């Protein structure tokens, strides 16, 4: 199986990640440029009090950087879209996905390799000799028998009691 | 078009199958779309076999043995199948 695209969906944006990792773009343009993405609403740096210790500041900056790299799909703190905005967005996504899947479905299955240029001759040739078929059947039967005899030879107890004095 | 398959000695029937479906059929395989579907899948799978990274599949013909033999090969994007009687001549044991 070949994975062509990965789609990450969160509250505000859908990103299509093709095999070329250089291309990261929103599927549809962000309709409201003023609204902040979900993962940065908690980390507005404007409100950091100056009384925090260095440790606290370090921790905050680490968490901030991590949050920038993580897309939270749980949407626990949803900003809340109005019904018409939601429906509008859903429609835009559907249209865009339909467009993309049309171009994807045009791929044809892998063509069969040509085994011969003389199909008539190949199919009219002698059959596999009966003795060869017998021999292969016997070998297969032996192999099956051998495989079915594979078993674990238990020598010791797997679980032992520790004698603690 | 029968592609000359009807002239194969002791043949009991044949199929010619393409990506789009059955192109020709006759004898015991006439209109046998079910067998055609099964054979197409078998041939697709077998054509993926490679020996030690070779470029081509390592076989020219595939045989399905039972009371009769189904012989299969691929040429020019088409799968050719012929059903033939098994050899009646048993090896002579002296």
């Amino acid at each position: 199986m070949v994975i062509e695209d990965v789609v990450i969906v969160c509250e505000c944006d859908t990103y299509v990640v093709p095999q070329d990792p250089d291309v990261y773009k929103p599927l549809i343009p962000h309709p409201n440029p003023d609204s902040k993405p979900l993962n940065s609403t908690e980390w507005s740096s404007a409100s950091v009090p100056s009384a925090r210790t260095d440790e606290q500041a370090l921790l905050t900056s680490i968490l901030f950087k991590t949050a920038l790299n993580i897309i939270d799909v749980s949407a626990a703190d949803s900003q809340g879209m109005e019904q018409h905005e939601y429906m509008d967005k859903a429609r835009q996504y559907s249209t865009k996905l339909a467009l993309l899947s049309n171009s994807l479905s045009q791929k044809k299955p892998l063509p069969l390799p040509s085994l011969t240029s003389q199909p008539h001759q190949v199919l009219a040739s002698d059959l596999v000799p009966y003795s060869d078929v017998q021999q292969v059947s016997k070998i297969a039967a032996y192999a099956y028998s051998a495989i079915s005899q594979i078993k674990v030879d238990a020598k010791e107890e797997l679980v032992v009691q520790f004698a603690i004095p | 078009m029968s592609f000359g398959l009807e002239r194969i000695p002791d043949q009991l029937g044949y199929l010619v199958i393409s990506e789009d479906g059955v192109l020709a059929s006759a004898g015991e395989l006439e209109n046998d779309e079910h067998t055609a579907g099964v054979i197409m899948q078998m041939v697709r799978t077998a054509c993926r076999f490679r020996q030690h990274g070779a470029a081509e599949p390592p076989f020219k013909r595939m045989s399905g043995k039972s009371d009769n033999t189904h012989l299969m090969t691929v040429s020019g994007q088409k799968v050719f199948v012929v059903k033939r009687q098994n050899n009646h001549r048993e090896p002579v044991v002296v």
Side-chain angles (χ1 to χ4, degrees):
Chain A
M1 183 180 80
V2 174
I3 300 174
E4 292 269 18
D5 292 298
V6 171
V7 179
I8 304 166
V9 180
C10 74
E11 167 75 0
C12 304
D13 288 297
T14 294
Y15 290 88
V16 177
V17 183
Q19 279 188 318
D20 175 8
D22 292 331
V23 180
Y24 284 79
K25 59 176 168 70
L27 198 59
I28 59 173
H30 206 295
N32 188 358
D34 293 336
S35 73
K36 293 194 174 95
L38 177 67
N39 54 6
S40 72
T41 47
E42 299 178 67
W43 303 106
S44 167
S45 54
S47 61
V48 175
S50 55
R52 286 189 182 185
T53 62
D54 284 345
E55 262 186 15
Q56 192 73 1
L58 193 61
L59 178 64
T60 308
S61 80
I62 290 172
L63 287 172
F64 180 67
K65 282 180 196 158
T66 310
L68 281 180
N69 291 327
I70 291 175
I71 300 175
D72 182 4
V73 298
S74 63
D77 260 5
S78 157
Q79 286 188 294
M81 284 192 289
E82 293 180 27
Q83 180 70 4
H84 71 91
E85 273 182 24
Y86 178 76
M87 297 302 290
D88 210 35
K89 213 167 222 187
R91 195 170 32 82
Q92 280 182 314
Y93 284 144
S94 300
T95 317
K96 188 75 184 188
L97 281 173
L99 255 166
L100 286 175
S101 59
N102 268 345
S103 57
L104 279 177
S105 63
Q106 270 152 28
K107 278 189 202 152
K108 290 194 173 156
L110 220 61
L112 285 167
S114 223
L115 301 176
T116 178
S117 57
Q118 313 276 346
H120 177 278
Q121 187 182 325
V122 161
L123 295 182
S125 303
D126 289 344
L127 296 178
V128 177
Y130 183 68
S131 57
D132 284 3
V133 175
Q134 287 281 79
Q135 190 175 25
V136 168
S137 299
K138 203 160 50 157
I139 293 171
Y142 279 137
Y144 179 80
S145 167
I147 288 171
S148 63
Q149 286 175 46
I150 295 175
K151 62 182 165 94
V152 173
D153 187 14
K155 291 267 191 258
E156 296 175 7
E157 288 289 325
L158 193 61
V159 178
V160 296
Q161 298 292 336
F162 281 112
I164 301 176
Chain B
M1 282 188 75
S2 64
F3 306 90
L5 297 180
E6 80 282 2
R7 293 197 303 266
I8 293 177
D10 63 28
Q11 62 93 7
L12 300 167
Y14 63 81
L15 280 166
V16 181
I17 318 165
S18 77
E19 299 284 352
D20 303 321
V22 176
L23 296 179
S25 65
E28 293 183 20
L29 295 175
E30 184 154 30
N31 299 323
D32 193 346
E33 297 210 6
H34 173 74
T35 300
V38 170
I39 286 178
M40 201 58 175
Q41 277 192 303
M42 282 170 56
V43 168
R44 265 200 199 289
T45 305
C47 282
R48 289 165 63 184
F49 296 163
R50 293 289 184 277
Q51 275 181 330
H52 310 298
E56 301 292 326
F59 66 98
K60 287 207 162 12
R61 181 180 82 176
M62 191 158 75
S63 303
K65 309 289 287 183
S66 67
D67 298 330
N68 292 302
T69 303
H70 288 78
L71 297 142
M72 297 153 267
T73 191
V74 185
S75 183
Q77 301 300 311
K78 290 184 280 289
V79 175
F80 295 83
V81 184
V82 90
K83 184 175 178 181
R84 287 170 59 183
Q85 287 175 355
N86 281 343
N87 283 328
H88 293 301
R89 294 172 295 254
E90 295 292 325
V92 176
V93 179
V94 179

